[in-house]
Amino acid sequence: VSQSRYTPKFGSIGISRLFDQLEILLQNQLEAQGITLRKELNPNELILFGDQHQIEQVLINLLQNAIRALEDSEEKIITLSAFIDEAGKIIIEVTDTGKGIEEEALSKIFIPFFTTKKKGSGIGLSLSKQIMRRHKGNIQVRSTLGEGTTFKLIFNG
């Protein structure tokens, strides 16, 4: 296995384009389940410095989780948003209107191999956390049962 896959290749990532690519990638899944994907960007030309492939992996994982969380929801909306917070950090959020995550599971979801899914490796979120660390960033979650979940990627730039 070549080492280059694991060494982050940092460059400029146009978030608007990234969001569009993710939408195209997941279009069939979203349509099949009647999910609305909202994309919110402020400013519109927001640019992130990082490894495009790795950040994509994190977002695909979060979006797949969000799609699964919406299986039994009446309102099926996923919001993908990016903005700069008051501390000047770039934030990307993935929010779903799904069932939410049990309090007990919330503290464990970033632990390798922990999963609440019947078919799941439990590796996605722990890998996402590692990738965010490599980007000198962080990943946080807030969830309300019956209302939904938001995963927040914080880039310290």
Side-chain angles (χ1 to χ4, degrees), residues 102-145:
E102 300 276 346
E103 187 87 30
E104 201 181 326
L106 266 184
S107 60
K108 300 182 187 139
I109 56 173
F110 295 107
I111 298 170
F113 309 113
F114 175 82
T115 182
T116 57
K117 298 180 204 132
K118 287 178 195 74
K119 294 190 208 121
S121 64
I123 203 70
L125 287 172
S126 70
L127 196 61
S128 297
K129 197 171 182 98
Q130 281 178 13
I131 290 172
M132 288 306 294
R133 278 209 192 108
R134 268 184 226 138
H135 283 77
K136 310 261 187 292
N138 205 347
I139 181 167
Q140 294 173 354
V141 59
R142 1 176 248 286
S143 190
T144 308
L145 280 178

Side-chain angles (χ1 to χ4, degrees), residues 22-56:
L22 290 164
E23 183 175 25
I24 291 163
L25 198 63
L26 296 165
Q27 198 143 27
N28 292 345
Q29 268 177 289
L30 295 166
E31 280 173 14
Q33 294 196 40
I35 297 170
T36 303
L37 179 69
R38 292 187 180 148
K39 296 178 295 182
E40 297 171 357
L41 239 83
N42 182 23
N44 215 19
E45 51 289 328
L46 205 52
I47 285 178
L48 184 63
F49 192 70
D51 180 307
Q52 171 126 12
H53 181 73
Q54 290 188 354
I55 297 303
E56 253 170 47

Side-chain angles (χ1 to χ4, degrees), residues 52-114:
Q52 171 126 12
H53 181 73
Q54 290 188 354
I55 297 303
E56 253 170 47
Q57 289 302 119
V58 171
L59 287 167
I60 288 166
N61 178 48
L62 293 177
L63 288 162
Q64 297 276 18
N65 287 351
I67 289 168
R68 270 193 214 100
L70 290 170
E71 275 168 10
D72 308 314
S73 300
E74 279 177 38
E75 192 183 26
K76 299 186 179 201
I77 300 168
I78 296 174
T79 307
L80 197 50
S81 59
F83 56 94
I84 297 171
D85 72 2
E86 46 305 327
K89 296 176 182 180
I90 292 179
I91 309 289
I92 296 180
E93 289 185 337
V94 178
T95 302
D96 67 65
T97 54
K99 53 183 177 283
I101 302 168
E102 300 276 346
E103 187 87 30
E104 201 181 326
L106 266 184
S107 60
K108 300 182 187 139
I109 56 173
F110 295 107
I111 298 170
F113 309 113
F114 175 82

